[in-house]
Every structure is written in C-alpha cells, then in structure tokens.
Amino acid sequence: MADIFGYIRVSSRDQNEERQAAAFRELTIPAKNIFMDRQSGKDFERPSYKRMVRRMKKDDLLYIKSIDRLGRNYEEILEQWRILTKEKGIDIVVLDMPLLDTRRGKDLMGTFLSDIVLQVLSFVAENERTAIRQRQAEGIAAAKAKGVKFGRPARPYPENFQEVHHDWRKKKITLRQAAEACGMPVGTFYGKVRKFENTT
C-alpha cells in the first residue's frame, strides 16, 4: 500500500517551519512520515531527507510546499527529481505550483510539461540564491566604502611596542625576541610593525 510523505526544510534556526507544517496537516499526512531539516538548500546532504528517501518506495507520494524547500541548486534539484520519480517511482506534488504534480498527465505531454515547469522553477530558485549572494557582496562592499569594519577589532599595540620596535630595528634583539617581549606571535608582531611604520 502506498504511503504519503511530507518534507519540510528551513534554512536556519530563525526560520519557522509552521507554514509548511500547517499545509501538511490539512493533507492528513501521518506525523511519522513528515521529515524536516534545518539546513541550507545548497545540496542534498541532509540527514532527514536521506532517511525519508530510504523509507520511500514505488508509488509513494511526496508533498513539498514549494520547489525551493526541496533545494536551491538547479542541477541537484533536477537530479533528485529524476531519482525520485524515475528510479524510485515516487509521485511528487509541489503545493504552491499545481502544475508540478506527477500524478497528473502520466502521458508524454503531461510529463513534458511537468519537466519544463520544473526546469524553469529550479532555474528561478538558483537565480534567486545567486542574487542574494550578489546583494550581500554589494552590501558588504558599500559598508566597507563607508568605513564599516568587519571581523575582530585589531589588538592595540602593547605599551612597550615602540621601545621594542626601536631595539629590533637597531638589531639589538632578534625578531623572535621582539615578538616575545610584546607577548605575540612573530607573524602578528611583524604585521604590527608594517602597520606602525606605514602610519608613522
């Protein structure tokens, strides 16, 4: 007898899965057959998803709320769709896109239309992901141009830095001794020296 499954994915701990869970409750999917991952959609290395796929068998039905809940990588979405529908013989229904329902149109035309819609939506999902990354990069660049600092603040120079720097430049002490006198690794001391000498 065929089973019904539901798959939920939220990309971070801040996202709420309730919208997807509520849609599945209306479909009376057994609670034990609802699988959820709190993980990025960049690939399919997700524990709950893998466990669900292992449990599913031919003629089972999988519901997902929207195509981006399945994933965000265009090629991988298409590959997973092929594995589920062609290799495992599972039907998939995307609730937000009624055209993506493999139970309908099992004939050649129905399959063809479904494949076209899937490819378009997968492409849109990945494009959105790329656009988000670009917006983030542009936002960071704009913030840097305004003088916003990213990362940890630089450690201040130790009180004895000028004296140690002077002794080191006069070859009274070695680089290692100078770094130890300032209580920092050699690389850090040398970086401080370059910054100090460029600003004085």
Side-chain angles (χ1 to χ4, degrees), residues 53-114:
V53 172
R54 282 197 299 271
R55 272 193 51 193
M56 288 191 297
K57 60 190 185 303
K58 184 174 167 50
D59 295 329
D60 282 350
L61 176 60
L62 170 63
Y63 283 99
I64 53 174
K65 184 79 172 76
S66 57
I67 195 68
D68 65 344
R69 296 306 88 200
L70 185 60
R72 287 194 175 275
N73 182 300
Y74 173 58
E75 289 180 4
E76 290 200 6
I77 291 172
L78 295 177
E79 176 62 9
Q80 284 298 311
W81 190 278
R82 186 192 64 77
I83 290 169
L84 294 173
T85 59
K86 306 288 194 297
E87 292 183 14
K88 290 190 75 83
I90 293 161
D91 276 315
I92 305 175
V93 174
V94 179
L95 295 174
D96 286 355
M97 180 59 60
L99 279 173
L100 282 177
D101 181 344
T102 61
R103 298 170 303 177
R104 296 182 185 161
K106 292 279 187 181
D107 60 2
L108 188 61
M109 182 55 75
T111 303
F112 176 68
L113 288 174
S114 180

Side-chain angles (χ1 to χ4, degrees), residues 91-153:
D91 276 315
I92 305 175
V93 174
V94 179
L95 295 174
D96 286 355
M97 180 59 60
L99 279 173
L100 282 177
D101 181 344
T102 61
R103 298 170 303 177
R104 296 182 185 161
K106 292 279 187 181
D107 60 2
L108 188 61
M109 182 55 75
T111 303
F112 176 68
L113 288 174
S114 180
D115 284 352
I116 286 177
V117 173
L118 173 65
Q119 291 203 34
V120 169
L121 288 175
S122 301
F123 179 74
V124 167
E126 182 164 2
N127 253 19
E128 178 58 21
R129 184 162 153 253
T130 303
I132 288 169
R133 281 202 305 266
Q134 186 175 339
R135 285 195 296 270
Q136 286 171 339
E138 288 169 355
I140 290 168
K144 282 182 177 177
K146 289 180 181 175
V148 176
K149 302 284 187 202
F150 290 88
R152 291 182 301 181

Side-chain angles (χ1 to χ4, degrees), residues 10-17 38-39:
V10 288
S11 58
S12 71
R13 297 192 182 280
D14 300 324
Q15 280 194 336
N16 192 324
E17 70 276 7
R38 286 189 178 276
Q39 203 166 331

